[in-house]
Amino acid sequence: MEQFPGNAVALPDMPKNIRIRDFGPSTSYDATTQIATFSGPFEAITDNGMKLHSAKARWHGKEQRFHVDGDVKMTTAQGMEVFANHAVADTTSHTVTLTGDVSVYNGNLLQRGGQIVYHWQDERFEASDLRAGVDPLLLEAGRFHVEERNGKQVYVGQDAGITTHDAEKPGFWLRSSETTVYPEDKVTFKNLRLYAGDVPIFWLPYLAQPLDGTLGYHFVPGARSNWGGFLLNSYGIMLGGTPNLETGENENAWLLSRWHFDLRTLRGLGTGVDLSDTRQDSNPNLSGLSLYYTKDLDPSQSRTGIPRGFVNEDRYRLALQHRVPLEFQPDADWRLDANLNFLSDNHYLEDFNPDLFRVDPNPENSLGLFRRDDHSLFSLFGRFRTNEFYRSDTRSPEIAVDFVRRPILDLPILHEGSASLAFIEEEIGSATLSTVRPLLALPANDPNVPFLLNQLPTYERQLVQTLRSLPAGSPAIPRLTEQLFSPGYNRFHTYQQFSMPTQVGDWLNLSPELGMGYSRYANVSGPATAIDRTHLQAGVEASVKFSKNLGDVRDRDWGIDGLLHVVQPYTRLSFISTDDLDPLFPAVDRETFSTRPQPLAVPNFTAIDSLRDWGIVRLGMRNKLLTQRDAQSLDWLGMDTYLDAFLTDPDYNRDFSNLYNDLQWSPLPWLGVNLETQFPLIADGSGFSEVAARTRFMPNPDLEFSVGHRLLDNHPVLTDSNRVDLRGYARLSERWGIGALHLWELDDGTLEIQQYTVHHDFNHWVASLGITHRDNRLKSELGVLLSFTLKEFPSASIPFKLDAE
């Protein structure tokens, strides 16, 4: 045996290719039995660098074996570390057999099992029922080995299984005849079976499951009233990049593709693909290319119960939201934006994309070239009418340049402005047209008139009601008809504004402003003629600020660590003189109906055709209570109170607006209140009242709920509403949770939405059952969803959601 300094141990029957070191107080040796006992920390080192450590060990000379016990650690020459309860090192076969809670660490790979055999001369492992872990996975294999493919380690298991349940008896397994793990990339399965315990519940001949949650196979089962039972299937893979001839894989793939194959018992089969460029910055408005087609078994099925006309059974959507950066100038960002949406019919989004239908039921189609630098934005874009069934406008094209507010030379005067040239047309949708034409012909006392009017969008409803109120032969009828069906014109518009923020003394902030603009309308549709408009604007904004330290106020329960009260009275005067357009002018860029006050800054007023004379004085006061949290100032409570006094009212001939109050209270992370109110204070104000409130409260970690209320009363255009919604979630135990959502429209006593969910945690699975009911007044909807999600393995999760809306 080779000798070395320190507590080196030499025994007469020990092989020379192993060095032994005993760090204990003594080593005993029985020459008769040829057994040596090492009393302290023990270390054995082979001639090729393998090390074996333990708390105690015995040498059996007749067997030529070490028996090692107690916190065994083996380190291979390649740096792999193995931990076990026991080990037997056979110096004849040059093997180490480790047993009892075996853990093998090799880089980011963790293997666990009951036994492993290491051949130290060949530097290879033999494993029996070994589980391997590549975060977040645990891999079980009857025969497990490591291969090198294209310079990377790949872990291959025969008769192997994947789980994320790190327990002696995992609750689920994904088993296959061959499992291959590509760390930080994907897992491939041949002849895959999904087991819940020991019961097989799902089978696929082959599956490549990426470790990226956006890739791989996902499925969503459930049922809805207008779909019947459904199973939505998708599979995500990466495309593009450079093919590797050795591995067959594409390197540097950049195109994310999601392939869809959906089954709906009432609607039939649907298939499509979503393609997106992962090289683009994350932007929810740039979703890439989406294609979808379904042969609808029953296009007459409606969520709302409103009767439909003929809808073709071929239902499809083609959408492209994409951005192409252009490298034209080093000091400016150029880009080409595409937003294209081609639909088969007016009801497609309502039937098959309800999420998009709620936020954008009439998607636009546009192409634009844009240039942005530190001072300006240039745009050249066109808007097209590819879907003729809803009202939309076109720009063929529009050219615009906008200048940000910036100083003029070194003067204290700031300038901002814009200029544009647009060729604009608008046309009524064919779906609306089929309702409008009968309405115009029906007599005033026809009982169907109110129902048909309610089917129209707000703008068309207002025009139809005006047309129906006019006597036959009125000269206004041709112009209103043109405005209703197909208004259009060419328009040049420019507006420039100058301001000079200044401080008077130490207390008054003053910002006077002066603006001027010009608009030219030509080729106006209908009997209107070309029009020139000039715009002159003057205004001033003034504010003062007072503060008072309320002292050393502290209340941990309400999140208060000192309070500072800040009061800021302010006023803004805005006057504009313009050549008002005739009320019968076929406007396209017009105001939409809203309950909120209009902006007083003319550069922010995009409804150019609705720009009219006004003289408005806005009087307000901001109140804030500030406290300290995490060494920073925090708005504990804030309220903005204001109203408008009209010298010239552009809308309703008022003297005063409503009194507005916008309040936000955020005392604690688990408590928040938002409140917006407006009501007439002086005279009749705006003639209507509105309250919008929401409170979120989490009294303990197991309970969270929120209550919202919106009241709109006596608005001249918008429908009155008195709506309450209640949302809540309660964790009943470590395993069980329940949730609920109710939405009531108290104005007509309708419980519009009921949603109930139950959640159960099975350690390795989370199961949820949800039931939702929606009352659309003419027809009700019912949906049931059951979801199962694998914890700690998001790429293999089953992503369900309950569509309450």
Side-chain angles (χ1 to χ4, degrees):
M1 190 187 85
E2 182 179 349
Q3 302 287 321
F4 56 91
N7 291 6
V9 177
L11 296 174
D13 50 7
M14 193 174 295
K16 294 183 178 181
N17 60 350
I18 296 180
R19 297 172 293 172
I20 302 299
R21 186 183 304 182
D22 182 9
F23 296 94
S26 64
T27 299
S28 62
Y29 177 71
D30 187 332
T32 303
T33 61
Q34 298 182 10
I35 295 177
T37 303
F38 303 94
S39 61
F42 163 85
E43 180 182 72
I45 307 174
T46 65
D47 56 358
N48 70 342
M50 186 205 76
K51 296 180 181 181
L52 191 64
H53 307 261
S54 72
K56 56 184 179 178
R58 298 185 314 278
W59 163 254
H60 291 246
K62 292 181 180 181
E63 302 174 358
Q64 291 290 292
R65 291 179 178 178
F66 286 101
H67 291 261
V68 185
D69 299 294
D71 296 329
V72 179
K73 177 183 178 182
M74 182 184 74
T75 305
T76 69
Q78 295 79 24
M80 186 181 300
E81 295 181 329
V82 183
F83 298 86
N85 295 330
H86 312 281
V88 176
D90 190 327
T91 60
T92 302
S93 61
H94 305 102
T95 63
V96 179
T97 302
L98 299 103
T99 58
D101 196 18
V102 179
S103 298
V104 183
Y105 292 87
N106 184 12
N108 68 340
L109 175 68
L110 167 63
Q111 304 171 63
R112 289 180 177 175
Q115 178 176 307
I116 189 171
V117 179
Y118 179 64
H119 299 256
W120 71 69
Q121 283 193 335
D122 298 336
E123 298 181 350
R124 64 183 176 86
F125 280 97
E126 288 183 5
S128 177
D129 296 327
L130 187 68
R131 291 203 313 256
V134 181
D135 189 35
L137 308 176
L138 293 174
L139 170 67
E140 176 195 56
R143 179 71 64 178
F144 184 81
H145 63 278
V146 180
E147 297 180 4
E148 187 167 310
R149 299 182 184 177
N150 197 29
K152 297 181 180 180
Q153 284 187 327
V154 175
Y155 308 101
V156 181
Q158 306 296 330
D159 298 323
I162 288 288
T163 185
T164 60
H165 188 200
D166 190 5
E168 183 178 355
K169 294 183 179 180
F172 74 93
W173 284 102
L174 295 168
R175 298 185 185 276
S176 68
S177 58
E178 179 178 303
T179 303
T180 306
V181 180
Y182 300 81
E184 301 180 358
D185 185 8
K186 64 183 178 181
V187 185
T188 62
F189 305 90
K190 294 181 180 179
N191 192 26
L192 169 69
R193 290 96 62 199
L194 172 61
Y195 285 81
D198 296 325
V199 180
I201 60 175
F202 191 73
W203 174 85
L204 282 175
Y206 177 82
L207 176 65
Q209 181 64 47
L211 297 178
D212 183 338
T214 61
L215 304 178
Y217 176 59
H218 301 264
F219 61 95
V220 179
R224 294 184 61 171
S225 297
N226 65 323
W227 283 2
F230 63 81
L231 178 64
L232 309 181
N233 303 274
S234 68
Y235 191 83
I237 59 175
M238 297 299 298
L239 303 175
T242 304
N244 186 305
L245 298 180
E246 181 179 346
T247 64
E249 301 287 336
N250 280 9
E251 298 179 350
N252 302 317
W254 55 271
L255 185 62
L256 171 62
S257 65
R258 295 292 302 271
W259 302 82
H260 302 276
F261 186 79
D262 302 329
L263 309 174
R264 303 177 180 90
T265 58
L266 295 182
R267 314 307 284 264
L269 303 180
T271 184
V273 63
D274 300 327
L275 304 174
S276 60
D277 188 346
T278 58
R279 298 171 299 183
Q280 298 287 337
D281 294 336
S282 178
N283 187 329
N285 297 319
L286 300 175
S287 55
L289 175 66
S290 296
L291 305 171
Y292 195 86
Y293 171 81
T294 182
K295 190 81 168 180
D296 197 346
L297 299 178
D298 189 0
S300 65
Q301 281 280 348
S302 169
R303 296 180 61 193
T304 62
I306 298 175
R308 295 178 175 178
F310 171 76
V311 178
N312 194 287
E313 62 184 5
D314 294 311
R315 315 288 299 278
Y316 52 83
R317 174 178 179 248
L318 185 155
L320 175 65
Q321 286 81 36
H322 188 58
R323 173 171 295 170
V324 180
L326 304 173
E327 301 293 336
F328 288 161
Q329 295 175 289
D331 58 345
D333 295 326
W334 287 82
R335 70 178 191 270
L336 182 65
D337 283 357
N339 181 18
L340 304 175
N341 298 273
F342 186 54
L343 305 174
S344 60
D345 56 81
N346 194 40
H347 304 289
Y348 175 89
L349 294 181
E350 177 188 348
D351 290 347
F352 299 104
N353 285 90
D355 290 344
L356 179 60
F357 180 74
R358 283 192 296 273
V359 297
D360 190 12
N362 302 324
E364 70 170 33
N365 289 269
S366 63
L367 284 173
L369 176 67
F370 300 90
R371 177 194 181 276
R372 179 188 293 273
D373 59 25
D374 294 338
H375 306 296
S376 64
L377 172 65
F378 167 81
S379 58
L380 168 62
F381 72 96
R383 187 176 295 156
F384 317 101
R385 189 171 188 264
T386 58
N387 304 309
E388 51 82 27
F389 33 79
Y390 55 78
R391 190 180 192 97
S392 59
D393 66 280
T394 63
R395 312 284 164 135
S396 306
E398 179 169 341
I399 306 170
V401 59
D402 295 271
F403 299 97
V404 300
R405 183 181 296 186
R406 65 196 189 283
I408 299 176
L409 301 176
D410 294 327
L411 300 174
I413 300 175
L414 306 180
H415 167 261
E416 62 182 313
S418 64
S420 65
L421 175 63
F423 302 85
I424 302 173
E425 291 184 356
E426 186 180 56
E427 192 165 342
I428 192 172
S430 59
T432 304
L433 187 62
S434 63
T435 303
V436 167
R437 291 196 185 279
L439 259 175
L440 294 177
L442 289 175
N445 58 353
D446 192 292
N448 294 314
V449 169
F451 174 78
L452 292 174
L453 282 173
N454 286 332
Q455 310 312 310
L456 296 178
T458 303
Y459 179 70
E460 282 87 345
R461 184 167 66 246
Q462 293 292 308
L463 287 176
V464 169
Q465 288 176 325
T466 303
L467 279 168
R468 287 179 55 83
S469 67
L470 295 175
S474 171
I477 290 179
R479 301 181 68 180
L480 279 175
T481 302
E482 186 70 27
Q483 187 172 345
L484 173 63
F485 290 112
S486 57
Y489 50 78
N490 304 335
R491 185 189 66 209
F492 171 78
H493 174 75
T494 182
Y495 183 82
Q496 312 298 321
Q497 182 171 288
F498 303 88
S499 59
M500 190 174 69
T502 186
Q503 187 170 7
V504 180
D506 296 330
W507 57 279
L508 177 62
N509 296 308
L510 199 64
S511 180
E513 58 190 27
L514 182 66
M516 59 194 72
Y518 170 75
S519 300
R520 167 72 177 179
Y521 294 83
N523 296 330
V524 181
S525 60
T529 58
I531 299 172
D532 293 287
R533 306 177 67 197
T534 57
H535 321 288
L536 298 176
Q537 186 263 343
V540 63
E541 184 173 3
S543 66
V544 296
K545 186 181 292 187
F546 308 97
S547 63
K548 181 179 181 179
N549 192 331
L550 300 182
D552 191 17
V553 180
R554 285 179 171 80
D555 190 324
R556 183 180 180 85
D557 292 340
W558 292 101
I560 299 175
D561 184 8
L563 280 178
L564 178 68
H565 184 200
V566 178
V567 180
Q568 186 181 24
Y570 65 92
T571 184
R572 176 160 189 161
L573 288 73
S574 180
F575 300 90
I576 185 167
S577 175
T578 183
D579 300 305
D580 289 356
L581 291 175
D582 190 287
L584 300 179
F585 181 84
V588 176
D589 286 339
R590 54 186 176 267
E591 283 184 292
T592 57
F593 299 106
S594 172
T595 63
R596 302 303 297 172
Q598 70 175 54
L600 300 185
V602 177
N604 298 334
F605 196 88
T606 57
I608 297 173
D609 297 345
S610 295
L611 196 60
R612 303 178 298 279
D613 288 348
W614 76 55
I616 304 174
V617 180
R618 181 163 295 170
L619 304 169
M621 179 177 294
R622 300 184 183 96
N623 277 273
K624 287 186 178 182
L625 287 176
L626 308 179
T627 190
Q628 291 288 323
R629 189 169 300 168
D630 299 327
Q632 293 183 344
S633 179
L634 174 76
D635 288 356
W636 190 81
L637 174 66
M639 184 172 68
D640 188 7
T641 303
Y642 56 97
L643 63 78
D644 291 341
F646 297 100
L647 305 178
T648 302
D649 182 11
D651 294 318
Y652 302 116
N653 196 29
R654 297 165 293 178
D655 294 322
F656 296 94
S657 72
N658 285 341
L659 177 69
Y660 299 91
N661 283 282
D662 301 336
L663 180 143
Q664 184 175 24
W665 183 39
S666 305
L668 298 162
W670 45 267
L671 174 63
V673 177
N674 291 287
L675 175 64
E676 295 180 355
T677 68
Q678 57 172 305
F679 53 86
L681 178 67
I682 304 175
D684 293 331
S686 297
F688 67 93
S689 301
E690 181 184 30
V691 177
R694 177 163 294 279
T695 299
R696 182 185 63 85
F697 185 43
M698 189 175 181
N700 60 63
D702 297 327
L703 178 63
E704 180 177 8
F705 65 87
S706 68
V707 179
H709 178 225
R710 183 177 186 266
L711 170 68
L712 181 62
D713 182 50
N714 203 36
H715 193 278
V717 176
L718 302 179
T719 303
D720 288 351
S721 176
N722 187 6
R723 177 171 294 191
V724 175
D725 74 83
L726 174 64
R727 306 163 192 257
Y729 178 81
R731 188 172 64 172
L732 304 179
S733 66
E734 293 296 325
R735 304 282 188 183
W736 289 94
I738 58 174
L741 164 65
H742 284 175
L743 196 155
W744 289 275
E745 176 52 69
L746 303 180
D747 198 59
D748 60 2
T750 302
L751 180 56
E752 292 185 345
I753 294 176
Q754 302 176 69
Q755 176 180 302
Y756 308 96
T757 56
V758 179
H759 311 271
H760 184 65
D761 189 336
F762 292 94
N763 287 330
H764 42 283
W765 296 83
V766 175
S768 300
L769 172 67
I771 301 175
T772 182
H773 176 270
R774 182 183 179 97
D775 187 345
N776 294 313
R777 292 168 176 81
L778 296 179
K779 182 180 180 181
S780 294
E781 292 181 82
L782 180 66
V784 179
L785 287 179
L786 178 64
S787 73
F788 296 95
T789 303
L790 301 177
K791 296 173 69 176
E792 306 299 334
F793 193 6
S795 59
S797 66
I798 304 170
F800 298 89
K801 66 177 179 177
L802 196 60
D803 182 11
E805 301 298 324

